[in-house]
């Protein structure tokens, strides 16, 4: 995400540079001759489109979340308040207590905002599940991707074949992988349980087991996307000059130390780009849950903000409340991505 | 060199202008496209809609083509809507049709498309929807058709249950097309015979549990084929058991928001007992696979709407009364638990006359027989000539005409408004995780708050 203003400024200053083809500097260039203006047909349409349809839509969604918009008709923008947020995040302390593991407490009461005929539940449960899924999936996926990349980078035979095999699951749609893992998790015939029972343990119910639902979803997503993390890391590894390894070796660094001090720091950019994409995929897990549980009711232990949001918006037509959940989701995504983007920016690597 | 440079500059500018023009055109295209493309989710529909729109101007005066949106894009549903439209076009060759199946074939998808179109004040002529309380979802968008469609012919010949469900707050706004029954217990004849169970002798949900035990003891078959990956099969099983145990009064109290928690919990407890007899992998299979178990003789019973029989029809050597049979779910005799599809009339209709002509046609016995012969359900009119339907449908139709009451289904959207149904679904999604009858009963009773 480049800052368009900075881009603009750079273009402005560029126009004073001596051209490489030997042209002379024309300090009296008119406004219309500036590169930034003359190149406007190239950058302006996408700039406007993205501005309107991405950032404009985000802003509109935030405004919508402040209204009481519900049912048919059009929203009333004259009376904006934070009522939906109060209902969604009601009882913050009890809410947190009710979702944290190993703490049994904090009963959360449903609230009745002024627009609602029925009371609405706060979003603590689905928010917590979203965080668990997002963090768990992303961390495991990155770690596994890195491990695979390091292995594949060792100039093994059939490297291309392995790379393709690991990457292939990513080309499948969520609907396919969800149905596929539904079979894999089958208690009687699924591969996972066949392995478990052949090791002498009893068969385990996975799909409707409240303790295993979310990990099972995360596992399936890791299967699908660790190949992608591997490719990104592999590109990062290949970009590290051999001289760095040689220098580290000469200085007597052990393999572990070399990876920690030389390799990992240089994979920062790769990590950020993989992280951003994986976070987005974790948020998109809606499709996966929708296919796996034939609808947007995956059950309380796997309910994420995305399923909750669609339920509120499309099943209940609580548009404003759905927007509120969308904003919470958006803020959560920002919380994860922003620190990395910012650190990159500070290092001038962005 | 300067000449050269000039030439370059000129060509670059030309390119820029060209690109600018293209960009502007693209932008205009996007904005324009956004306007004209209100059913944006409905990729398939666009083509059909445009085609019919183009054709309409020349041929048929002020009759606009009907925009019918439905999700019957495959299987028996598709054959049924095809037969209905064919019959309509033979009867009314002057009315044009712009039928638009919504891809994805899920009702939820269709609702989203309708919702988007209503938001932009561009309703279709009609669409496939559950009647009853589901009508409240787009309540204000419907218009009364009491005068034009619900003539004496319809009001005299529809049975009371479907007639009630066709009304929104006491006004007729939709035309029910078919009825699926929910309170059926289908079974594989040879499996129950092997176990020594006589399904016709069962008289309560508790008897079903004992019969399942007997099947489990005496055969290798799964006693009760059920899927638990989605909530819907469990919700409709519970509502059937509730109807059986609490009776029509208890059932109606529940759907009116005055449910007795003890009754609700007792029905859930019966479901918990039944769940002992589900297939071991019930959470990984869907309804089709569960139904196939009955067809293959791997399972004895299945509780389902009568669409289950549609699959049996298609299997050779698996005949009604011989290899498979059906009893009214034990304890619910006298009730015909309704699930219906209907076509409502939208206000601000794009084709008022044509839509009303079509809805009137859907209200005829002839149209309903054409549709239901393919769909496997029964006509909601009491005077239909069902000789064209199969034996099972004829038996169901007799049951329907002789039923004491026709309560609306909760799972299939007739009995409660969508927001309450969302709460009920959520309660059952939790029930499938832990089978905790007491907690779920409380959540179900609280669904109305």
């Amino acid at each position: 995400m480049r800052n368009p203003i900075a881009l603009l400024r750079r273009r402005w200053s560029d126009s004073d540079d001596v051209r490489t083809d030997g042209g002379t500097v024309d300090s009296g260039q008119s406004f219309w001759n500036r590169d930034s203006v003359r190149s406007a047909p190239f950058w302006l349409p996408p700039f406007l489109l993205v501005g309107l349809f991405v950032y404009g839509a985000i802003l509109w969604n935030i405004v919508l979340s402040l209204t009481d918009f519900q049912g048919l008709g059009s929203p009333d923008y004259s009376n904006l308040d934070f009522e939906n947020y109060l209902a969604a995040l009601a009882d913050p302390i009890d809410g947190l207590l009710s979702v944290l593991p190993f703490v049994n407490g904090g009963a959360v009461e449903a609230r009745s905002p002024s627009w609602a005929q029925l009371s609405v539940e706060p979003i603590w449960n689905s928010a917590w599940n979203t965080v668990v899924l997002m963090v768990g999936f992303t961390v495991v996926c990155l770690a596994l991707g890195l491990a695979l990349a390091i292995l594949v980078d060792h100039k093994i035979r059939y490297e291309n074949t392995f790379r393709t095999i690991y990457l292939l699951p990513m080309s499948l749609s969520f609907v396919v992988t969800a149905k596929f893992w539904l079979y894999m998790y089958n208690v009687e015939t699924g591969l996972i349980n066949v392995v478990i029972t052949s090791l002498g343990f009893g068969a385990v119910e996975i799909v409707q087991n409240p303790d295993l639902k979310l990990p099972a979803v995360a596992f399936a997503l890791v299967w699908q996307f660790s190949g992608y993390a591997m490719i990104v890391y592999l590109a990062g590894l290949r970009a590290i000059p051999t001289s760095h390894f040689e220098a580290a070796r000469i200085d007597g660094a052990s393999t572990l130390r070399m990876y920690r001090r030389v390799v990992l720091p240089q994979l920062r950019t790769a990590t950020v780009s993989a992280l951003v994409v994986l976070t987005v995929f974790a948020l998109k897990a809606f499709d996966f849950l929708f296919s796996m549980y034939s609808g947007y009711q995956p059950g309380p232990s796997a309910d994420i903000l995305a399923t909750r949001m669609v339920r509120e918006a499309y099943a209940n037509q609580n548009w404003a409340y759905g927007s509120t959940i969308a904003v919470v989701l958006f803020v959560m995504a920002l919380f994860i991505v922003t620190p990395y983007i910012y650190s990159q920016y500070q290092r001038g690597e962005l | 060199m300067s000449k050269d440079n000039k030439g370059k500059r000129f060509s670059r500018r030309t390119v820029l202008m060209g690109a600018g023009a293209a960009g502007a055109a693209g932008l205009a295209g996007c904005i324009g496209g956004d306007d004209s493309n209100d059913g944006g989710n409905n990729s398939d529909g666009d083509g059909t809609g445009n085609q019919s729109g183009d054709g309409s101007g020349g041929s048929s005066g002020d009759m606009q083509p009907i925009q019918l949106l439905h999700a019957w894009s495959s299987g028996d549903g598709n054959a049924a809507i095809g037969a209905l439209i064919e019959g309509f076009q033979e009867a009314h060759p002057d009315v044009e049709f712009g039928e638009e199946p919504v891809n994805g074939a899920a009702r939820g998808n269709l609702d989203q498309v309708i919702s988007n179109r209503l938001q932009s004040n561009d309703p279709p002529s009609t669409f496939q929807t559950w009647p009853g309380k589901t009508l409240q979802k787009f309540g204000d968008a419907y218009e009364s058709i009491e005068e034009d469609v619900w003539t004496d012919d319809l009001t005299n010949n529809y049975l009371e249950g479907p007639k009630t469900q066709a009304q929104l707050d006491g006004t007729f706004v939709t035309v029910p097309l078919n009825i699926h029954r929910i309170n059926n217990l289908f079974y594989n004849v040879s499996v129950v015979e092997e176990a020594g169970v006589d399904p016709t002798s069962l008289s309560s949900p508790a008897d079903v549990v004992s019969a399942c035990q007997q099947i489990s003891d005496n055969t290798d078959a799964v006693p009760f084929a059920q899927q638990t990956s989605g909530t819907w099969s469990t919700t409709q099983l519970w509502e059937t058991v509730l109807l059986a145990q609490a009776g029509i009064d208890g059932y109606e109290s529940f759907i009116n928001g005055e449910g007795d928690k003890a009754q609700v919990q007792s029905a859930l407890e019966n479901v918990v007992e039944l769940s002992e007899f589900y297939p071991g992998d019930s959470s990984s299979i869907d309804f089709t696979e569960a139904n196939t178990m009955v067809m293959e003789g791997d399972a004895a019973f299945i509780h389902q709407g009568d669409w289950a029989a549609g699959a049996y029809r298609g299997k050779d050597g698996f005949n009604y009364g011989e290899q498979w049979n059906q009893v009214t779910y034990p304890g619910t005799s006298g009730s015909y638990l309704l699930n219906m599809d209907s076509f409502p009339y939208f206000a601000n209709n794009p084709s008022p006359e044509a839509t009303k002509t079509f809805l009137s046609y859907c209200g005829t016995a002839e149209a309903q027989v054409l549709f239901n012969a393919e769909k496997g359900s029964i006509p909601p009119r009491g005077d239909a000539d069902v000789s064209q339907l199969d034996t099972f449908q004829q038996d169901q139709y007799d049951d329907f005409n002789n039923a004491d009451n026709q309560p609306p289904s909760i799972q299939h959207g007739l009995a409660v408004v969508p927001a309450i149904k969302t709460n009920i679904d959520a309660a059952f999604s939790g029930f499938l995780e832990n089978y905790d009858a007491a907690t779920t009963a409380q959540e179900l009773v609280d669904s109305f708050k």
Side-chain angles (χ1 to χ4, degrees):
Chain A
M1 247 189 294
R2 273 166 199 273
N3 179 354
I5 306 294
L7 203 71
L8 211 64
R9 206 181 294 139
R10 207 173 310 140
R11 281 173 190 282
W12 236 283
S13 57
D14 276 355
S15 61
D16 288 336
D17 289 351
V18 177
R19 281 215 306 269
T20 48
D21 65 355
T24 48
V25 178
D26 182 5
S27 52
Q29 260 185 350
S30 79
F31 175 75
W32 292 108
N33 270 339
R34 282 178 182 154
D35 265 2
S36 58
V37 177
R38 287 196 351 217
S39 61
F42 286 110
W43 61 262
L44 193 63
F47 178 76
L48 288 179
L49 286 175
V50 171
L52 183 65
F53 290 111
V54 177
Y55 298 100
I58 292 173
L59 275 180
W60 188 26
N61 187 61
I62 293 173
V63 176
L64 258 188
S65 72
L66 303 176
T67 66
D68 292 345
F69 187 27
Q70 190 228 4
L72 291 175
S74 44
D76 170 18
Y77 295 110
S78 64
N79 191 11
L80 302 182
D81 54 39
F82 287 93
E83 188 182 34
N84 292 328
Y85 290 90
L86 293 179
L89 305 172
D91 304 323
I93 293 166
D94 273 346
L96 281 177
L97 285 179
S98 70
V99 293
L100 287 177
F102 313 117
V103 184
N104 293 315
V108 182
E109 281 288 304
R111 293 298 165 103
S112 300
S114 59
W115 48 262
Q117 281 119 23
L118 299 172
S119 57
V120 292
E121 290 279 332
I123 57 168
W124 293 111
N125 181 48
S126 39
W128 175 252
N129 286 340
T130 309
V131 171
V132 171
L133 181 66
M134 210 150 76
V135 174
F137 156 70
T138 314
V139 168
V140 175
C141 203
L142 287 179
L144 195 62
L146 180 61
L148 286 177
I150 290 173
L151 289 179
V152 172
D153 195 35
H154 272 87
K155 308 241 165 19
I156 50 169
R157 283 180 88 183
Y158 308 119
E159 185 204 312
N160 284 338
T161 317
F162 279 112
R163 233 168 35 195
T164 314
I165 290 174
Y166 291 139
L167 192 62
L168 262 183
M170 201 190 141
S171 65
L172 300 174
S173 90
F174 268 147
V175 179
V176 176
T177 42
K179 291 295 177 198
F180 169 67
W181 279 96
L182 203 56
Y183 287 116
M184 294 286 278
Y185 290 143
N186 187 311
V187 178
E188 289 176 346
T189 54
L191 190 62
I192 303 289
N193 267 302
V194 168
V195 170
I196 292 176
T197 46
S198 69
L199 292 175
F201 300 101
V204 182
E205 165 66 45
I206 298 170
V207 180
Q208 285 290 8
N209 184 335
D211 299 325
L212 293 179
K213 258 184 177 180
L214 206 55
V217 172
F219 187 81
L221 293 180
V222 166
W223 170 83
Q224 188 168 8
F225 292 108
S226 53
Y228 168 76
M230 176 199 72
I231 290 292
V232 175
Y233 275 130
L234 202 54
L237 284 173
R238 294 278 154 87
I240 300 173
T242 328
S243 57
H244 290 202
F245 293 101
E246 285 164 359
R249 280 273 177 249
I250 289 166
D251 286 350
S254 66
T255 308
L256 199 67
R257 202 182 175 85
M258 187 173 74
Y259 272 105
R260 222 179 61 212
R261 300 280 177 168
V262 179
V263 177
L264 285 187
Q266 301 202 48
L267 290 177
R268 201 175 277 269
T269 327
T271 308
V272 175
S273 49
L275 181 92
V276 172
V277 172
L278 291 179
T279 313
V280 172
F281 278 123
L283 297 180
K284 273 169 56 179
F286 173 83
D287 327 17
F288 190 91
L289 290 168
F290 189 91
S291 312
M292 192 144 183
Y293 295 101
S294 14
Y296 33 63
Q297 291 278 12
S301 56
D303 196 18
I304 59 171
L305 284 172
T307 45
R308 181 80 203 277
M309 173 180 76
V310 174
R311 279 212 300 278
E312 290 296 345
Y314 285 98
N316 298 351
Q317 297 201 298
N318 293 336
W319 305 110
Y321 198 60
S323 301
T324 308
I325 300 174
V327 172
V328 174
L329 200 52
F330 176 66
V331 170
M332 273 169 56
L334 282 187
F335 256 104
I336 296 204
V337 174
T338 313
Y340 281 89
I341 302 273
Y342 186 71
S343 77
Q344 290 301 103
Y345 175 74
Q346 289 225 308
R347 290 160 171 268
E349 284 175 5
L350 209 62
Chain B
M1 180 188 148
S2 71
K3 200 177 176 183
D4 209 36
N5 211 4
K6 232 178 198 169
K8 258 186 196 163
R9 187 177 276 192
F10 178 73
S11 73
R12 211 166 100 193
R13 180 172 297 165
T14 321
V15 171
L16 277 185
M17 277 162 62
L27 192 64
C30 276
I31 294 169
D34 201 48
D35 269 345
S36 65
N37 199 1
D38 291 312
N41 299 351
N42 169 12
S43 56
D44 206 319
D46 275 341
T48 349
N50 284 341
Q51 272 173 15
S52 58
D54 289 343
S56 73
S59 55
S60 66
D62 53 351
M63 276 277 219
Q64 293 295 313
I66 298 175
Q67 296 174 32
L68 164 65
L69 269 68
H70 63 78
W72 287 307
S73 54
S74 63
D76 54 358
N78 193 259
I81 189 71
L84 179 75
I85 289 173
E86 200 177 311
F88 174 70
Q89 283 175 332
E90 271 171 31
H92 300 274
D94 53 322
V95 183
E96 280 201 56
F97 234 95
E99 176 208 3
E100 299 184 18
V102 169
N103 268 1
R107 213 174 279 262
N109 243 355
L110 177 59
D111 266 20
Q112 285 181 27
V113 173
I114 299 297
S115 182
N116 289 344
R117 289 190 60 160
L118 289 176
Q119 295 288 5
S120 54
N121 205 15
D122 173 37
S125 305
T126 183
F127 79 112
Q128 166 203 0
T129 186
W130 292 328
K133 291 279 170 57
T134 295
L135 293 172
Q136 295 200 3
K137 183 166 184 181
F138 302 131
D140 298 337
Y142 298 124
E143 197 169 273
S144 163
I145 43 173
E146 260 177 49
E147 300 267 312
D148 300 313
V149 178
W150 277 88
T151 55
D152 289 347
D153 173 49
L154 265 72
T155 47
N156 294 336
N157 287 304
Y158 268 76
L159 261 73
E160 211 46 52
K163 220 154 60 179
T164 315
Q165 300 306 318
Q167 299 171 37
L168 174 67
D169 301 328
T171 312
F172 284 105
V173 296
T174 191
V175 179
L177 197 60
N178 67 332
I179 296 179
H180 281 296
R181 186 184 208 173
I182 302 300
N183 55 330
N184 312 286
L185 186 62
F186 293 98
Y187 56 92
N188 183 307
V189 174
S190 60
V191 177
V192 295
E193 276 176 2
E194 187 191 338
V197 169
D198 174 16
T200 53
S201 70
L202 309 176
S203 61
S204 72
D207 288 353
V208 180
V209 176
S210 336
C212 284
Q213 185 62 55
Q214 202 174 333
I215 291 161
S216 168
D217 292 343
N218 299 340
T219 71
D220 293 332
V222 167
F224 201 91
Q226 174 89 333
Q227 69 83 19
T228 59
S229 71
T231 57
W232 64 276
S233 297
T234 305
T235 312
Q236 66 181 17
L237 174 61
W238 164 79
E239 72 182 42
T240 306
V241 174
L242 179 71
L243 178 64
Q245 291 184 342
I248 182 72
D249 293 336
Y251 185 83
E252 284 185 340
S253 319
F254 178 79
I255 62 179
N256 291 327
E258 292 144 9
D260 177 19
K261 193 194 156 197
Q263 286 178 343
V264 171
Q265 187 171 336
S266 160
L268 286 168
E269 278 160 1
N270 180 267
V271 175
V272 175
E273 286 175 40
L274 271 181
S275 71
E276 299 294 320
F277 302 105
Y278 290 172
D281 57 356
S282 65
S283 64
S284 284
I285 60 174
D286 60 19
F287 148 68
T288 324
E289 289 163 285
N291 205 26
T292 307
M293 295 178 80
V294 176
M295 287 156 66
E296 302 285 334
D298 295 330
F301 292 122
I302 186 167
H303 164 265
Q304 269 300 343
D306 49 23
W307 49 85
Y312 306 156
R313 269 203 302 194
K315 185 172 157 71
D316 289 336
F318 197 67
N319 301 321
Y320 176 52
E322 296 168 26
Q323 284 79 26
W324 69 273
N325 214 326
Q326 175 263 9
V327 288
T328 303
Y329 200 88
T332 62
S333 60
S335 294
Y336 206 94
L337 192 53
L338 298 177
N339 167 30
M340 292 188 284
D341 290 297
S342 75
F343 288 136
Y345 183 83
F346 278 119
N348 190 17
N349 207 288
S351 57
E353 286 313 310
T355 308
K356 283 172 183 166
T357 313
F358 176 65
L359 294 184
S360 301
Y361 177 76
C362 291
T364 62
E366 175 209 347
Q368 291 174 6
V369 168
L370 280 177
F371 183 85
N372 287 294
E374 298 291 341
K375 188 81 172 72
S377 40
I378 60 161
R381 278 175 72 115
D383 63 337
D385 170 21
V386 291
S387 60
Q388 290 172 46
L389 305 183
D390 66 26
T391 332
F392 171 63
Q393 285 171 299
Q394 292 177 14
D395 287 354
Q396 292 279 73
Y397 190 69
D398 284 344
D399 271 7
F400 171 62
N401 276 315
N402 297 321
D404 303 327
N405 48 59
Q406 297 122 16
S409 161
I410 298 169
Q411 166 56 35
H412 299 279
L414 302 182
V416 293
V417 299
I420 294 175
K421 183 164 180 292
T422 309
N423 289 343
I424 292 177
D425 288 345
F428 274 101
S429 71
F431 182 69
L432 289 180
E433 288 183 355
N434 51 34
Y435 287 97
D436 181 343
T439 312
T440 309
Q442 191 58 52
E443 285 171 8
L444 286 173
V445 174
D446 288 346
S447 297
F448 293 82
K449 288 179 190 161

